[in-house]
Amino acid sequence: MSTWLWVLFFVVVFGGGGIGERARRALRTRHKRRLELTEAKARAERARLDAGRPPEPVCGCGHHLATHDAEGRCHESVRAAVAWDAENKPERYEARDCPCQRYVGPEPLHLTFAQELTDLDRRPREQ
């Protein structure tokens, strides 16, 4: 019986650490794969929701249709560089009117409700 204890002692002392490390590595790998799977599911759900959403009315300047007036001029302010350093990188910025001339983004469709004119499930009575 004492030889089995010595064998068990050597297995635990010298081989147990490797077994534990392999188990931890396997659990880390499984955890990473599960995270990748949940992220892929979240990306697919976001893509599905984005596919059903109508396009945002955003102009080429990057501003929304709501910031443009009836003629199409943009009333948003943008950051414009006014001073540059020796490497031609902007040092100072100033707020200026948006330079876009008119709205060029997608025109939103008007939403209308049309009630059904006929009921196909209901058949007229025969007289």
Side-chain angles (χ1 to χ4, degrees):
M1 184 72 175
S2 66
T3 55
W4 286 109
L5 287 175
W6 280 107
V7 169
L8 183 64
F9 172 76
F10 282 114
V11 167
V12 169
V13 170
F14 295 110
I19 294 170
E21 181 59 34
R22 276 182 258 149
R24 279 190 294 276
R25 194 173 340 140
L27 286 175
R28 269 194 306 267
T29 304
R30 181 177 184 272
H31 180 68
K32 286 180 187 176
R33 288 181 182 162
R34 295 285 276 182
L35 284 177
E36 290 171 359
L37 182 63
T38 55
E39 288 172 5
K41 285 181 181 178
R43 278 193 308 269
E45 182 66 19
R46 276 193 305 268
R48 187 184 66 78
L49 290 175
D50 288 344
R53 188 175 301 135
E56 284 289 320
V58 176
C59 183
C61 64
H63 299 127
H64 199 273
L65 173 62
T67 62
H68 293 75
D69 61 9
E71 288 98 34
R73 287 191 315 261
C74 187
H75 293 284
E76 192 71 34
S77 61
V78 294
R79 274 180 38 171
V82 293
W84 292 267
D85 62 1
E87 297 176 359
N88 211 13
K89 293 182 181 176
E91 282 184 336
R92 203 172 77 235
Y93 294 92
E94 211 175 74
R96 293 190 178 165
D97 291 336
C98 182
C100 91
Q101 299 297 316
R102 61 187 259 291
Y103 178 74
V104 293
E107 290 294 327
L109 298 175
H110 297 288
L111 297 176
T112 58
F113 174 75
Q115 194 169 5
E116 291 185 26
L117 298 176
T118 60
D119 188 6
L120 297 177
D121 292 334
R122 186 174 175 197
R123 294 188 179 160
R125 279 188 181 167
E126 291 185 24
Q127 295 179 0

